Amino acid sequence: MSTILVTGGAGFIGSAVIRQLIAETDVTVINVDKLTYAGNLQSLISVADNPRYCFEHVDICDTATVANLFHKHQPDAVMHLAAESHVDRSITGPAAFIETNIIGTYTLLQAARKYWNELSTERKNTFRFHHISTDEVYGSLGEAGFFTENTAYQPNSPYSASKASSDHLVRAWYHTFGLPVVTTNCSNNYGPYHFPEKLIPLIILNACNGKPLPIYGKGDNIRDWLYVDDHARALRLVLERGRVGETYNIGGWNEKSNLEVVHAICTILDELRPQDAPYASLITYVPDRPGHDHRYAIDAGKVAHELGWKPLETFETGLRKTVNWYLTNPDWVDAVISGEYKNWIQQNYSDRGAS
Ligand code: NAD
Ligand code: DAU
């Protein structure tokens, strides 16, 4: 039985990874999370009492505490997901992105390196540092072509620049210090427990509440959507079988314009929760995001051919599951929208240092 230290495990993707690891493997999971506005332990209620799950309320920028975590838990691997993740927030307030995504990754790499250097040869050989990153580091595509693992980095937002920077640090710690790393760059995820500042959950919840459905610019920007549990499966495969020092791109082969995505959500809601007017009548065009990347599309051939990964959900099945989840989980939704989940964390986790 092995131990994986997952950073950012209270977030959208990290919590999906942890729920899968606890349900489908025998590993012990140490969830290291600062619990920013995006971190929500209510997404982990199903695993909270499992003896193979442990929560550590820690900021990855805190050098001493991060070093102690390695000594205390003796992990066999790190899955590093902790990050500031929202592009719009990186435009209005980039500082937290520089702190967590760059300094935090550096802090974690240094702690992992020191710990790894002191392991036995056998454990040194099997240890992995898995850095979870984004396709946004590659910049923006025109109408044709795909991002491959060899595409040059051209990040355009403070968010993607901070993630690109962290990717470069991880690469350097491999080449210079020999730390056994793997990196994955994934396209847009969607699914349950997604914080409703991101397009898909925002549109579902605004529609249900009769609010405008904001479309940036003309709505013709294209994203490559992947169901979050498919991403989590890919991450587990790369961690188990990916080649050290390699990068794997992960994507859904599933390009949609934002307008197509919003219409697809409206159509499902028209069927599941019909109203007098179609939900699409709430669509409202708003000013564009500054520096808005036009198109992302991943060539996921390497992870498919080398590791045999392919997504299980189509966009149609995944989106329907997602809309259904938001309709049938009003407690999670209400707590997030009201901010009540922060009080819940205070009440339930104050003994573990959470506030
Ligand atoms: P999220 O914003 O939902 O979750 C981020 C988590 O990190 C939160 O739980 C937060 O509390 C935690 N965190 C933030 N700062 C921290 C710090 N200083 N110390 C410890 N914990 C901290 O993000 P997500 O959408 O789940 O994304 C997870 C990772 O995957 C990120 O690295 C992101 O760049 C990457 N990614 C996301 C997507 C996507 O579509 N969401 C796609 C590709 C890659
Ligand atoms: O590509 C991977 C990235 O996908 C991840 O690295 C990021 O962490 C994740 O947030 C996501 O970034 P995007 O900026 O693509 O996601 P977002 O949901 O914010 O926006 C998706 C598209 O929808 C984008 O073109 C902007 C547009 N949009 C977004 C919002 C919130 C709107 O038109 N209206 C909105 O209200």
Side-chain angles (χ1 to χ4, degrees):
M1 190 164 75
S2 62
T3 298
I4 303 180
L5 194 153
V6 177
T7 72
F12 167 49
I13 301 172
S15 68
V17 168
I18 291 178
R19 290 189 302 271
Q20 253 186 40
L21 285 171
I22 294 296
E24 298 177 19
T25 76
D26 64 358
V27 303
T28 295
V29 176
I30 315 301
N31 175 13
V32 177
D33 202 294
K34 180 182 176 181
L35 298 180
T36 66
Y37 78 94
N40 184 355
L41 292 173
Q42 282 187 323
S43 306
L44 290 161
I45 285 177
S46 61
V47 303
D49 295 328
N50 192 297
R52 290 187 290 111
Y53 170 78
C54 168
F55 173 62
E56 292 278 8
H57 186 213
V58 169
D59 183 339
I60 58 162
C61 300
D62 179 342
T63 307
T65 310
V66 169
N68 281 338
L69 283 178
F70 280 88
H71 288 298
K72 180 175 168 191
H73 294 290
Q74 296 288 310
D76 300 285
V78 173
M79 295 178 86
H80 175 36
L81 296 103
E84 288 293 334
S85 69
H86 192 38
V87 174
D88 292 332
R89 284 181 190 253
S90 83
I91 296 167
T92 52
F97 290 73
I98 307 304
E99 275 297 322
T100 288
N101 299 1
I102 305 178
I103 307 292
T105 300
Y106 160 73
T107 306
L108 199 62
L109 281 167
Q110 282 291 70
R113 178 185 154 214
K114 183 167 187 309
Y115 165 77
W116 175 74
N117 269 324
E118 290 163 5
L119 290 176
S120 65
T121 308
E122 194 190 343
R123 290 195 70 207
K124 248 180 143 165
N125 289 338
T126 53
F127 182 85
R128 294 289 180 273
F129 185 103
H130 182 175
H131 177 57
I132 284 87
S133 192
T134 171
D135 60 355
E136 300 200 7
V137 298
Y138 298 123
S140 184
L141 288 166
E143 297 310 319
F146 295 91
F147 295 135
T148 74
E149 288 79 1
N150 296 319
T151 302
Y153 274 39
Q154 284 191 322
N156 292 318
S157 71
Y159 163 69
S160 55
S162 69
K163 290 296 289 187
S165 183
S166 67
D167 292 11
H168 291 322
L169 291 174
V170 170
R171 178 187 163 89
W173 260 242
Y174 167 64
H175 281 278
T176 305
F177 303 117
L179 186 72
V181 308
V182 282
T183 294
T184 46
N185 295 83
C186 188
S187 63
N188 285 63
N189 284 216
Y190 69 100
Y193 303 100
H194 204 180
F195 194 84
E197 64 186 350
K198 309 283 167 58
L199 180 71
I200 287 184
L202 179 87
I203 294 298
I204 296 169
L205 297 182
N206 275 16
C208 289
N209 291 307
K211 292 184 180 167
L213 311 182
I215 307 273
Y216 297 167
K218 290 189 283 189
D220 57 357
N221 301 69
I222 290 168
R223 297 291 182 263
D224 172 0
W225 294 95
L226 178 67
Y227 193 67
V228 66
D229 289 343
D230 281 323
H231 185 198
R233 263 181 222 102
L235 294 178
R236 286 170 48 204
L237 260 185
V238 171
L239 180 67
E240 281 162 27
R241 308 219 313 264
R243 283 181 292 139
V244 170
E246 292 287 317
T247 287
Y248 294 85
N249 280 355
I250 303 168
W253 299 108
N254 181 41
E255 290 180 56
K256 303 275 176 211
S257 73
N258 294 337
L259 211 46
E260 283 177 306
V261 169
V262 173
H263 275 291
I265 293 169
C266 289
T267 303
I268 295 172
L269 284 172
D270 285 337
E271 179 196 324
L272 297 181
R273 195 177 273 192
Q275 293 196 332
D276 291 346
Y279 286 93
S281 62
L282 295 168
I283 287 176
T284 307
Y285 292 88
V286 299
D288 209 351
R289 172 186 281 174
H292 198 170
D293 285 337
H294 175 62
R295 173 174 169 255
Y296 305 143
I298 284 275
D299 177 346
K302 181 173 173 181
V303 71
H305 299 134
E306 225 178 86
L307 304 180
W309 174 82
K310 62 173 192 225
L312 300 179
E313 299 291 343
T314 64
F315 190 61
E316 288 65 33
T317 60
L319 192 64
R320 187 169 280 271
K321 275 188 183 178
T322 304
V323 174
N324 252 318
W325 187 88
Y326 280 91
L327 295 181
T328 52
N329 285 277
D331 292 348
W332 186 94
V333 168
D334 291 347
V336 167
I337 288 178
S338 67
E340 178 59 28
Y341 71 108
K342 289 290 177 198
N343 297 338
W344 182 89
I345 287 163
Q346 176 88 51
Q347 284 155 17
N348 288 276
Y349 285 85
S350 53
D351 58 329
R352 286 171 237 186
S355 54

